[in-house]
Amino acid sequence: MKIPIDKPILVTSALPYVNGECHIGHLRTYVPADIYVRMLRKMGYDAIFISGSDTHGTPIVLSAEAQGITPEEVVEKYHEHFKRIFKDLNVDFDYYGQTDSESNHRRTEEIVKELIENGYVYKKGTKQAFCNTCGRFLPDRYVEGECPHCGAMARGDECDQGCGKHLEPGEIIEPRCKICGSEADFKEQEQFFFKLSSFADFLITYLDKLGGTRNAKNYAKEWVRKELMDWCITRNLEWGVKFPGRDDLVVYVWVDAPIGYISFTEELIEKEEEWRKYWTEDKATIVHFIGTDIIYHHCIFWPAMLKGAGYSLPDAVVASGMVKIDGKTFSKSRGDVVWAAEFLERFHPDTLRYYLVAQSSHTKELDFSWDSFSTRMNNELVAILGNLVHRVVSFAYKNFGVVPEGDIEDEVLGKIEEIREEVVKAVEEYEFKKLVDSAMGLADFGNGFFQREEPWHLIKKGEKERERCGEIVKNVLQIIKAVCVLLEPVMPSKMAEVWQQLGMESDVHSAKLDEITVPIASGQALKKPKKLFERVEV
RNA sequence: GCCGGGGUGGCCUAGUUGGUUAGGGCGCCAGACUCAUAAUCUGGAGGUCGCGGGUCCGAACCCCGCCCCCGGCACCA
C-alpha cells in the first residue's frame, strides 16, 4: 500500500495475552512491525508505534488461581516479562501499555455506551454453564461432556475429538467443569449482544478498500459472505472492564483489548486534541500488525465496533503467518516451542530479527529449525555481510586508516539506487523477506566488486595504483554505508556497530534512506574492525 | 462439506495483466584468489513447473476435470 506522506501513521502490533512467556511465534508479528516502523521513518514518514499487554479474560483468572496469586499479579509478572523481551530485541515501541489501565477502562466504557446509545447493543437470555463447586460461570471452552451428535467426548462449544460439529450452549450432554471435574449445569443468564449482523453492508465496502495483506482481506470477506452473527459481548466475571450499569458483568476481552490501541495512543500523546486526530478525525493512517489467528477480530469485529461508536477506521491490516517448529505446530507439552528468553541467552537479538524475516515471506508459514537458523547465520550474516564489512574495513584501516579519496562510480551509485527502489517496494508490499534479500544482494554486490578489482594487488604496486586502490576501497565503503542504513531496521544494534567502524559521526538509527547515495566523507577516520557475527554451531 | 493458501531440479524459493534458452539460494562438482571469520569470486551438472484435457502462433501463468498438503470454519484467547 502506498501510504500518504502528508499524514502521520499509527502502527500497532497485536497485544500479547499475558498469561505465559514470550516465544518466537509472538515475535513473528512484533519484529516485522518494528522493522516496518523503522523503515517508514527512514523514508520520511511521521510514525508512532504502539502496543501493550492484553490482561483480561478467563485464562488469566484461572492462571492466577493455579498459582495462588491475583490476576493483577499474573499480569504484572508477564507484562514486565514482555517489556523486557521487547527491549532486549530492540522492538522499540513509542508506548507499551496494558489494558487494565484506568484510561482503557474509561475508553472502553465510553465506547460501549456509544454503541448502546446508537442502538447496536441488546439484551438476550442465554444458557450459560455454571459450576457449583467453583461457584462460577464457565466459558464453553471450559465445559466438557458428551457430544449430542456422535457421542464422543466433546468441549462445550465444539465436538473437538469426534464429529467436529459446533455445539450451541446447553447442547452438550452431561456437562462437567473442566477446571475441577465436577458436574456443571446450564443456567439462564442475561447477556448483552452487539449487532454485528447490521454491519454486513458496511464491512463489504470497507474490506474492499482495506489495505494490508491479502490473507487478512480474503479471510474477512469470507465471513461477511457467510452471514454474520451478533456477538455476545459480556461475561460473568469479576476481572475485566465492567459493563456499564452492571456490576455482575464485564465486557468480553475482545472488546476492551483492541480499544487498548486507542487508550495507549491517549496515554502516549495525552493532549486530547492531538490523539483525536488519530482516532476520531481521520487525520492519520492506521496500520495493524497481527497474526493470522486474529484476523476475524481485527477485520470484522473491530471495524464494526469503531464504526458503530463513531471512531476512525484502520487503513491496513497486516497479518503474519504462523510459526512452526521443525514442521510441527507449537506445543508446550511436547517441547515444540522456542522461548524468546532462551534464544536470547544464546544468540544476539539481531540474528533472530534477521532470521524471522529472512526465513519466509510475511504471510506464509515460517518453519523454524536450528538447522536453517545456523545455515542462515553462517552463510549469510557471517559469510556475506560480516565478511564484507570485516575484509573491507580491515583492508582500508590497515592501508589508509581513513576513508580514502575518490569518486563514487556510476555503477555503484546505480546499484545502490536500484536496491533502494526494491527495498521501498518491499516495504509497501509488507514483504520483509524481499527487503532483507535485496539489502543482502547489495552486500553480495560489494563482495563481487571488491573481488573483481583486486585492490590487494594494487596496494603493493606504485603510487598511482595506490590511488586507484583507494578509490576502490572508498566505493566499497560506500556500499557498506548503504547496506548499513538499509539493514538498520532489521538489525539495529549490529548496524550501529558497522556505522561506528566506518567512522560515521551521525546516528544510523535516524539516518534517512536518502543518505545512502551521499558519498562517504574522505578523510574520516576508520575504527579498528571487529568481527560482526560469529559462526554458530547448533 | 465449504472457504483460503499451496503443489516449480536433492531441499527452500521467485515468477499478480500468458511471449526470447523457467530466475535465486542451500547442497554438490571444478577452477580462481588470498584483503577477509576455510570467508570471497568465476564456471558447471541437475527441472515432464501436482495429473489429465482445452484455448492460443505461444501457458508454470487462462479455462474445465481430478489428486495431494496446510490452515480456517465464531463467542477460545
Side-chain angles (χ1 to χ4, degrees):
Chain A
M1 183 177 78
K2 280 263 183 202
I3 302 159
I5 191 83
D6 55 335
K7 286 202 286 190
I9 304 166
L10 169 67
V11 179
T12 74
S13 194
L15 313 183
Y17 193 65
V18 284
N19 70 338
E21 290 193 12
C22 180
H23 51 68
I24 60 169
H26 289 105
L27 299 175
R28 225 244 156 141
T29 300
Y30 307 117
V31 166
D34 183 67
I35 292 172
Y36 183 68
V37 172
R38 286 173 187 269
M39 198 50 95
L40 286 180
R41 288 177 178 150
K42 292 211 173 309
M43 289 158 68
Y45 288 96
D46 170 17
I48 60 174
F49 186 27
I50 273 174
S51 187
S53 297
D54 182 7
T55 63
H56 296 140
T58 309
I60 282 177
V61 173
L62 295 179
S63 176
E65 281 174 19
Q67 296 178 59
I69 54 179
T70 64
E72 282 91 342
E73 285 167 329
V74 173
V75 165
E76 174 70 8
K77 176 175 160 190
Y78 292 114
H79 177 64
E80 289 307 318
H81 167 79
F82 272 90
K83 269 170 84 168
R84 176 66 198 277
I85 296 286
F86 292 141
K87 185 167 185 291
D88 289 349
L89 261 170
N90 286 313
V91 173
D92 195 10
F93 295 114
D94 291 296
Y95 192 80
Y96 186 82
Q98 51 96 3
T99 58
D100 198 40
S101 70
E102 196 233 315
S103 74
N104 194 52
H105 276 262
R106 200 176 52 230
R107 182 62 41 207
T108 301
E109 281 160 18
E110 203 165 310
I111 286 177
V112 172
K113 278 182 190 160
E114 290 281 345
L115 294 175
I116 294 169
E117 274 170 33
N118 294 339
Y120 293 120
V121 176
Y122 63 91
K123 244 191 283 191
K124 196 176 113 183
T126 62
K127 279 187 173 176
Q128 202 76 37
F130 186 83
C131 173
N132 288 303
T133 311
C134 298
R136 70 176 140 219
F137 284 96
L138 302 166
D140 290 324
R141 275 283 154 113
Y142 291 95
V143 177
E144 59 185 12
E146 193 183 301
C147 171
H149 304 288
C150 71
M153 188 67 140
R155 259 184 349 214
D157 58 341
E158 180 194 10
C159 178
D160 55 334
Q161 291 166 52
C163 60
K165 286 202 173 97
H166 167 68
L167 305 183
E168 287 299 316
E171 259 194 308
I172 196 159
I173 300 165
E174 288 185 25
R176 281 185 312 282
C177 169
K178 214 167 184 172
I179 301 154
C180 71
S182 61
E183 214 172 281
D185 42 47
F186 282 85
K187 291 188 178 181
E188 192 69 18
Q189 265 292 307
E190 198 171 64
Q191 301 288 359
F192 290 85
F193 282 74
F194 173 54
K195 282 190 195 167
L196 187 60
S197 53
S198 64
F199 289 88
D201 289 341
F202 155 71
L203 285 168
I204 287 168
T205 37
Y206 170 71
L207 288 170
D208 247 354
K209 51 179 207 278
L210 177 67
T213 52
R214 222 185 343 168
N215 55 349
K217 254 173 115 145
N218 286 345
Y219 183 92
K221 278 185 172 172
E222 179 50 26
W223 276 110
V224 183
R225 260 200 297 275
K226 269 205 298 214
E227 191 187 10
L228 296 169
M229 282 161 68
D230 293 342
W231 264 58
C232 176
I233 54 165
T234 47
R235 293 290 185 276
N236 298 92
L237 259 189
E238 288 289 307
W239 177 241
V241 177
K242 294 285 179 220
F243 186 81
R246 289 289 296 259
D247 245 18
D248 57 329
L249 294 176
V250 296
V251 300
Y252 178 40
V253 63
W254 268 110
V255 175
D256 69 272
I259 291 174
Y261 296 138
I262 301 176
S263 33
F264 302 155
T265 312
E266 291 184 62
E267 289 169 31
L268 169 69
I269 297 180
E270 290 177 352
K271 280 196 204 125
E272 174 146 359
E273 64 271 26
E274 286 302 313
W275 74 256
R276 284 203 174 271
K277 286 183 183 165
Y278 289 87
W279 286 106
T280 60
E281 295 168 13
D282 270 330
K283 287 180 180 157
T285 303
I286 298 171
V287 181
H288 292 310
F289 274 69
I290 62 170
T292 51
D293 53 339
I294 51 174
I295 291 172
Y296 180 79
H297 307 86
H298 283 78
C299 296
I300 304 277
F301 192 50
W302 174 231
M305 235 164 71
L306 289 168
K307 177 75 179 170
Y311 281 74
S312 305
L313 298 165
D315 296 280
V317 173
V318 181
S320 52
M322 297 288 101
V323 174
K324 289 196 164 190
I325 307 290
D326 288 323
K328 287 172 281 195
T329 307
F330 257 81
S331 162
K332 294 176 192 175
S333 52
R334 282 198 308 267
D336 294 323
V337 60
V338 176
W339 300 108
E342 280 176 19
F343 190 101
L344 294 175
E345 272 170 29
R346 296 175 64 190
F347 302 104
H348 190 279
D350 283 356
T351 64
L352 179 56
R353 292 175 63 103
Y354 177 82
Y355 177 85
L356 285 173
V357 287
Q359 183 61 11
S360 166
S361 77
H362 193 63
T363 57
K364 289 195 177 158
E365 187 175 273
L366 185 153
D367 188 10
F368 178 92
S369 70
W370 289 105
D371 197 50
S372 62
F373 173 72
S374 63
T375 303
R376 277 196 191 279
M377 290 309 105
N378 295 338
N379 292 342
E380 296 170 20
L381 292 187
V382 174
I384 297 174
L385 181 62
N387 183 235
L388 172 72
V389 174
H390 195 240
R391 72 193 295 206
V392 174
V393 178
S394 293
F395 185 86
Y397 180 78
K398 197 160 30 176
N399 294 297
F400 298 92
V402 297
V403 176
E405 297 290 333
D407 293 328
I408 306 301
E409 296 177 11
D410 287 345
E411 183 195 359
V412 171
L413 287 175
K415 187 69 185 180
I416 293 174
E417 205 43 70
E418 178 192 324
I419 299 286
R420 171 210 169 107
E421 279 169 28
E422 286 178 20
V423 165
V424 168
K425 188 161 172 267
V427 171
E428 285 167 355
E429 292 172 350
Y430 316 102
E431 287 288 359
F432 304 103
K433 177 171 169 53
K434 275 188 191 159
L435 187 160
V436 281
D437 284 352
S438 294
M440 288 300 279
L442 184 56
D444 236 342
F445 173 81
N447 273 320
F449 185 88
F450 199 66
Q451 190 78 25
R452 186 187 79 198
E453 301 295 335
E454 303 186 320
W456 50 90
H457 282 159
L458 297 169
I459 198 71
K460 290 173 190 155
K461 295 181 181 168
E463 196 47 38
K464 200 169 173 200
E465 284 84 353
R466 183 187 160 81
E467 235 174 72
R468 172 59 191 153
C469 175
E471 195 163 41
I472 288 156
V473 167
K474 181 169 174 176
N475 271 272
V476 189
L477 288 172
Q478 180 70 33
I479 291 168
I480 294 174
K481 177 187 167 185
V483 169
C484 211
V485 174
L486 292 169
L487 283 181
E488 184 277 336
V490 180
M491 297 182 281
S493 76
K494 284 295 176 186
M495 291 308 106
E497 273 180 47
V498 177
W499 200 246
Q500 227 192 0
Q501 289 186 22
L502 293 177
M504 303 294 295
E505 281 180 1
S506 60
D507 178 9
V508 70
H509 305 303
S510 52
K512 297 282 186 272
L513 230 42
D514 290 336
E515 230 185 280
I516 66 180
T517 45
V518 175
I520 186 166
S522 295
Q524 130 182 339
L526 297 165
K527 302 284 184 303
K528 194 178 164 82
K530 274 197 309 220
K531 288 181 187 175
L532 253 198
F533 300 99
E534 293 293 340
R535 291 183 61 83
V536 308
E537 309 298 337
V538 291

